[in-house]
Amino acid sequence: MILFTIVKLSPIPIQCDIKKFGERVMEIYRDASQSIDARAKNLISKMTLDEKMAQLGGIWSFEILEAGKFSPKRAESLIKNGIGQISRPGVATALPPREIAAFTNEIQRFLIENTRLGIPALIHEECLSGFMAKEATIFPQIIGIASAWDPEMVEKMTSIIRTQMRAVGMHQGLGPVLDVARDPRWGRVEETFGEDPYLIAKMGTAYVKGLQGDDLRRGVVATLKHFVGYGLSEGGLNWAPAHIPPRLLREVFLYPFKEAIVEAGALSIMNAYHEIDGIPCGASEELLTDILRKEWGFEGVVVSDYFTIENLQSYHRIAPDKSNAAKHALIAGIDIELPKSNCYAQPLKEQLEKGEIAEELVDRALLRILRLKFMLGLFENPYVEPKVTKGLFDAPDHRKLALEAARKSLVLLKNEGTILPLNKNIKTIAVIGPNADSHRNLLGDYAYAAHTEITGIMAASLGTPLPSADVQPDQITVPVVTILEGIKAKVSPKTKVLYAKGCEVSGTSKDGFDEAIKIARQADVAMVVVGGKSGLTPDCTCGEMRDSAELRLSGVQDDLVRAIYETGTPVVLILVDGRPLTLGWIIEKITAIIEAWLPGEEGGNAVADVLFGDYNPGGKLPISFPERVGQVPVYYGHKPSGARSQFWGNYVETSTSPVFEFGYGLSYTTFKFSNLRIEPKRVSPAGRVLIKVDIENTGTMTGEEVVQLYINDVVASITRPVKELRGFKRIALEPGETKTVEFELPMETLGFYGKDMKFTVEPGVFKVMVGRSAKDIVLEGEFELVA
């Protein structure tokens, strides 16, 4: 080391290391005035191979936690060369927000002050229906959010999620799920926006905009998942192969992802676990490089779904070992291995040292990762202020939006004799069922409570104790209002509310039936709240890894409903579940049915508001409900030859039609559709058609209607769906009020992939259909697209 004395411009001599001083001056990557690409490339030029590879992976947050605090000793062992990602501090540490913020600060401080290059980490957490952490707001599960048909509300929701995540040092959220769900047997249907690619695209785009915000330096990177075709697996089984031909893949399953990237600027993609035509998605260069980057121009990062790369060896068996699995994934285009460095560690290094893979591929992934870190402003602002978290978690405004979202998510499936809404002065109500007074079962599989249940199993499989494994499985971290609590708070002081659980969600015991029957006979109406438990453990009936062969009420719940029905007391059935269920005899016999899905922390209040008329339900189904499992897949956008059996049409035993179609949902009021206008009637491929329709509230209550626009290409060179959603608008109307709804339809949205698999907008006549659901079409017209 050579030391010099510098006296220029200062009367005080200063000693410095000239070599280090010169390096600091030349460190372009530290200069915020430089371009992001220049900074990233400069940083890469300074990195050793071990430092590069460290950025391609991560560690579990609990691995550097000791007695609830950051452990410098463990950090020195695990992240001395830096790290790309820190996984899941929200759920895996079981810390409250202020302590999470302090913990992430310590991680960043260690990386900046104790590693050679001082590169901050990206820190991620799940955020499907809310930031997955203690005290964070729990919104309805996404299938319920989809039922609201309200993109503006989605953006408000994810803006709150962004604020909470960023306040504790999170930079990346693992959402939204943009899988097109065409098989309700699949347990993860509840995480999706339903069956239709257009609805998914609009809701998903709004999700991304709210999460990433207008300035990414204060935003959270959205991660689109699962790329792609995950929702149409063999037998509805998780991780099973998906048999999707190329045209269907592009027109249906890829469409929402492309829209979220092009329209909303999504900056991360997560691969799906399954295979398509023999190639696992995590090893598909066609998907992750050719389509995603070369065709669409995606410039963000591709992260592996947890354990994907190792699964190329252990599950899919396309690699003999971890090193070859790493080679497959890196070549395909996976930039970051999550949740921790496993294959993108020593196994990948072995491939590099053998010359089996070029270091340029590591640099390719590294450039994308570093660019994102610079875009997020991590080098300039790596820390957060823990004190700020106090007013940002489950604040009154957050609960207000959670209530609005839950209300809008409820779908009225049946209301025979207009039994609903009920009078608050009703004399006696019986509230019955396993989900009537459950806090836990109002939440989806990607809520904090559900994931604390799986941590013990994860700990055993990883061989490392997880702090959150000690949390009680039923712990709810924010107040959750049960349906029983909501009803009690809503009715008059004179109303008698009786309660009996009746039975469990699963199991064969009917010991509680007698008490349930007894209180039903005493009541003027029986509220029967049934459904499932969402999560990832074997006792759950829906959620990830919980696929269903029957789609029915589990355990003895069907028997419980029948027993209450046979008392002669009018029954209002409230479904709390994550997927469409086949209800059999219930559809015909039960007086009123509400689909509540998994409505989140304000679910009980939302249901009570609808039951007693303080809120008029306006939700619409985002997925078709099969009458029987044997109809699956059943969805509205089928081809002309689909959904029927030649010659007689139906199955031997039943109809080919769903019992409740896509877009279906009742109201306490009525709406009249009239005066359809289509302008112009002839339009060029570069033009647009303006479609207008008047909607009048012809009933006596304020209500909301979702106006739905469907299109059909009457004659085309490739078979086209009988209907395709191409516009929707949720509007509120006072009694007697009329509003005009306008849809602008660009002709490019009518294109498809032709015989040569090139995208084309083909001339022809297009049928316009406007209505209340895919089946309930009220107005029709047409226009012609001319060459």
Side-chain angles (χ1 to χ4, degrees):
M1 179 182 292
I2 303 173
L3 299 179
F4 290 84
T5 299
I6 300 177
V7 296
K8 185 178 181 181
L9 301 179
S10 175
I12 304 173
I14 302 173
Q15 279 194 326
C16 70
D17 182 335
I18 285 296
K19 182 179 179 182
K20 187 172 288 186
F21 177 80
E23 288 177 347
R24 289 286 182 182
V25 171
M26 297 302 292
E27 284 174 346
I28 294 171
Y29 78 91
R30 295 183 181 275
D31 184 354
S33 69
Q34 298 287 333
S35 72
I36 285 175
D37 278 349
R39 296 176 75 184
K41 290 175 181 178
N42 173 254
L43 182 51
I44 291 172
S45 73
K46 298 178 178 296
M47 299 175 75
T48 66
L49 180 58
D50 286 338
E51 288 169 336
K52 289 179 178 181
M53 293 180 59
Q55 292 296 315
L56 271 60
I59 60 168
W60 278 102
S61 53
F62 64 82
E63 294 183 88
I64 49 176
L65 194 70
E66 194 167 13
K69 301 291 183 182
F70 173 76
S71 170
K73 181 180 179 181
R74 291 184 178 183
E76 179 61 33
S77 171
L78 293 169
I79 58 175
K80 62 185 178 182
N81 290 316
I83 199 69
Q85 290 260 0
I86 303 294
S87 297
R88 310 289 305 280
V91 73
T93 67
L95 295 172
R98 183 166 178 167
E99 292 179 34
I100 293 174
F103 176 58
T104 60
N105 277 347
E106 289 299 316
I107 294 172
Q108 302 292 26
R109 186 170 290 109
F110 178 90
L111 291 169
I112 290 165
E113 297 180 0
N114 294 281
T115 63
R116 189 175 73 90
L117 296 170
I119 305 171
L122 278 166
I123 305 178
H124 74 264
E125 185 52 272
E126 300 287 356
C127 62
L128 185 67
S129 57
F131 173 35
M132 193 183 288
K134 283 184 174 180
E135 301 177 26
T137 307
I138 305 173
F139 294 98
Q141 180 63 304
I142 290 299
I143 195 70
I145 294 294
S147 300
W149 293 58
D150 189 343
E152 292 81 9
M153 187 194 73
V154 174
E155 191 167 345
K156 291 178 184 176
M157 178 186 82
T158 51
S159 294
I160 290 172
I161 294 172
R162 162 170 45 89
T163 299
Q164 293 180 347
M165 293 185 75
R166 197 67 187 218
V168 298
M170 304 292 117
H171 315 110
Q172 183 168 1
L174 303 187
V177 172
L178 299 185
D179 297 311
V180 178
R182 291 284 171 90
D183 192 330
R185 295 174 297 177
W186 184 46
R188 303 192 76 172
V189 163
E190 67 178 70
E191 300 174 34
T192 77
F193 288 108
E195 74 179 47
D196 181 73
Y198 182 86
L199 178 63
I200 296 167
K202 293 302 180 185
M203 301 293 269
T205 296
Y207 186 110
V208 172
K209 288 179 178 178
L211 194 63
Q212 295 192 166
D214 297 328
D215 183 351
L216 197 63
R217 291 171 297 181
R218 293 187 292 273
V220 172
V221 172
T223 307
L224 313 180
K225 59 185 190 181
H226 306 85
F227 199 68
V228 62
Y230 198 25
L232 191 62
S233 61
E234 273 184 6
L237 294 170
N238 204 39
W239 291 22
H243 305 293
I244 305 173
R247 184 174 288 105
L248 185 67
L249 183 70
R250 285 183 174 272
E251 292 183 356
V252 173
F253 294 92
L254 284 169
Y255 175 77
F257 290 90
K258 183 177 181 181
E259 287 293 297
I261 291 168
V262 174
E263 297 298 323
L267 287 167
S268 184
I269 286 277
M270 176 180 278
N271 71 278
Y273 286 116
H274 68 285
E275 65 168 79
I276 299 176
D277 196 22
I279 301 176
C281 294
S284 174
E285 191 170 1
E286 179 186 9
L287 289 175
L288 301 178
T289 296
D290 295 344
I291 292 175
L292 183 61
R293 296 193 183 276
K294 293 179 182 178
E295 289 187 28
W296 297 354
F298 177 69
E299 295 185 347
V301 298
V302 176
V303 301
S304 77
D305 205 342
Y306 282 19
F307 316 111
T308 284
I309 302 176
E310 181 181 351
N311 288 339
L312 298 179
Q313 173 205 358
S314 62
Y315 205 82
H316 292 292
R317 303 182 185 178
I318 65 166
D321 50 38
K322 290 181 180 180
S323 66
N324 277 280
K327 176 181 176 181
H328 279 301
L330 192 63
I331 290 173
I334 289 182
D335 302 312
I336 300 175
E337 180 179 21
L338 297 179
K340 62 181 293 182
S341 300
N342 183 6
C343 301
Y344 278 12
Q346 187 60 32
L348 178 58
K349 190 175 182 179
E350 291 172 6
Q351 289 283 315
L352 291 162
E353 290 172 342
K354 292 177 183 177
E356 295 292 324
I357 195 167
E359 190 171 340
E360 285 78 9
L361 283 177
V362 171
D363 289 349
R364 180 183 74 173
L366 182 59
L367 178 64
R368 296 164 182 166
I369 296 163
L370 294 177
R371 286 186 77 254
L372 191 58
K373 291 187 176 186
F374 284 119
M375 291 171 69
L376 284 159
L378 298 188
F379 286 80
E380 289 72 51
N381 295 292
Y383 307 117
V384 294
E385 176 48 68
K387 292 180 182 178
V388 173
T389 61
K390 184 176 181 181
L392 296 179
F393 280 77
D394 206 34
D397 285 350
H398 301 165
R399 293 198 73 90
K400 183 178 179 181
L401 185 63
L403 176 60
E404 177 190 343
R407 283 170 161 178
K408 287 187 172 181
S409 74
L410 302 179
V411 184
L412 182 61
L413 297 178
K414 186 179 180 183
N415 192 21
E416 189 176 276
T418 60
I419 185 176
L420 298 177
L422 296 168
N423 192 312
K424 294 176 187 176
N425 294 313
I426 190 170
K427 186 177 179 181
T428 306
I429 295 175
V431 183
I432 297 165
N435 284 344
D437 198 32
S438 171
H439 301 87
R440 166 63 180 82
N441 290 0
L442 298 188
L443 311 180
D445 66 339
Y446 270 67
Y448 183 88
H451 272 242
T452 60
E453 296 170 345
I454 193 69
T455 51
I457 296 172
M458 291 173 62
S461 66
L462 294 170
T464 307
L466 303 184
S468 57
D470 296 328
V471 177
Q472 292 299 315
D474 62 348
Q475 180 174 349
I476 308 297
T477 64
V478 292
V480 174
V481 182
T482 71
I483 291 172
L484 176 62
E485 291 166 347
I487 290 171
K488 285 182 174 179
K490 185 65 60 175
V491 297
S492 75
K494 295 181 180 180
T495 299
K496 185 183 294 185
V497 179
L498 309 174
Y499 166 68
K501 190 172 187 179
C503 66
E504 300 294 336
V505 164
S506 301
T508 59
S509 175
K510 297 183 180 181
D511 291 347
F513 276 32
D514 288 345
E515 179 63 21
I517 292 167
K518 177 183 175 182
I519 68 167
R521 285 176 173 156
Q522 298 173 32
D524 298 298
V525 65
M527 309 285 188
V528 183
V529 189
V530 292
K533 177 184 179 182
S534 173
L536 297 82
T537 51
D539 64 318
C540 294
T541 63
C542 58
E544 186 174 4
M545 302 183 289
R546 307 308 301 141
D547 312 313
S548 172
E550 296 186 336
L551 296 181
R552 65 174 183 84
L553 288 170
S554 55
V556 294
Q557 291 183 88
D558 188 87
D559 293 336
L560 175 66
V561 177
R562 186 180 293 277
I564 304 305
Y565 166 73
E566 289 176 351
T567 66
T569 300
V571 173
V572 176
L573 190 76
I574 302 165
L575 296 169
V576 177
D577 203 281
R579 65 168 128 234
L581 296 175
T582 57
L583 298 174
W585 68 274
I586 290 174
I587 299 295
E588 179 184 353
K589 300 294 185 181
I590 296 302
T591 307
I593 306 172
I594 294 174
E595 177 59 79
W597 302 111
L598 301 160
E601 65 180 52
E602 282 290 320
N605 285 331
V607 170
D609 285 342
V610 166
L611 289 173
F612 296 97
D614 284 347
Y615 186 82
N616 189 348
K620 303 282 188 174
L621 294 180
I623 188 168
S624 303
F625 276 44
E627 184 177 335
R628 300 190 187 184
V629 177
Q631 294 174 314
V632 172
V634 56
Y635 54 93
Y636 87 90
H638 57 79
K639 295 296 185 72
S641 59
R644 60 177 176 174
S645 175
Q646 197 278 336
F647 177 81
W648 301 113
N650 289 323
Y651 292 103
V652 172
E653 306 89 350
T654 190
S655 166
T656 57
S657 300
V659 66
F660 297 117
E661 73 273 12
F662 175 83
Y664 174 86
L666 303 176
S667 172
Y668 295 153
T669 190
T670 54
F671 299 95
K672 179 183 178 182
F673 288 57
S674 64
N675 196 20
L676 176 65
R677 291 93 82 193
I678 303 171
E679 300 172 353
K681 291 288 188 176
R682 290 168 59 86
V683 61
S684 71
R688 295 169 180 262
V689 167
L690 187 65
I691 299 167
K692 298 181 182 180
V693 62
D694 296 338
I695 314 296
E696 180 187 2
N697 183 344
T698 54
T700 58
M701 288 185 67
T702 299
E704 294 172 284
E705 177 65 292
V706 179
V707 184
Q708 301 166 42
L709 169 68
Y710 297 88
I711 298 293
N712 171 243
D713 190 342
V714 178
V715 177
S717 58
I718 295 291
T719 61
R720 304 303 300 145
V722 294
K723 291 185 185 76
E724 294 179 273
L725 184 71
R726 281 297 177 265
F728 62 89
K729 181 68 176 177
R730 182 167 181 148
I731 59 169
L733 293 168
E734 299 292 330
E737 183 182 10
T738 299
K739 287 184 180 178
T740 298
V741 175
E742 296 185 5
F743 300 105
E744 190 174 63
L745 187 67
M747 293 301 96
E748 64 194 42
T749 64
L750 304 178
F752 57 84
Y753 288 84
K755 293 179 180 179
D756 57 2
M757 282 304 296
K758 292 181 180 179
F759 189 78
T760 181
V761 180
E762 193 174 83
V765 174
F766 287 82
K767 188 176 181 181
V768 174
M769 294 163 278
V770 178
R772 303 180 180 92
S773 73
K775 179 181 178 181
D776 189 3
I777 299 299
V778 182
L779 301 171
E780 294 185 1
E782 64 180 35
F783 63 86
E784 185 179 6
L785 197 163
V786 294

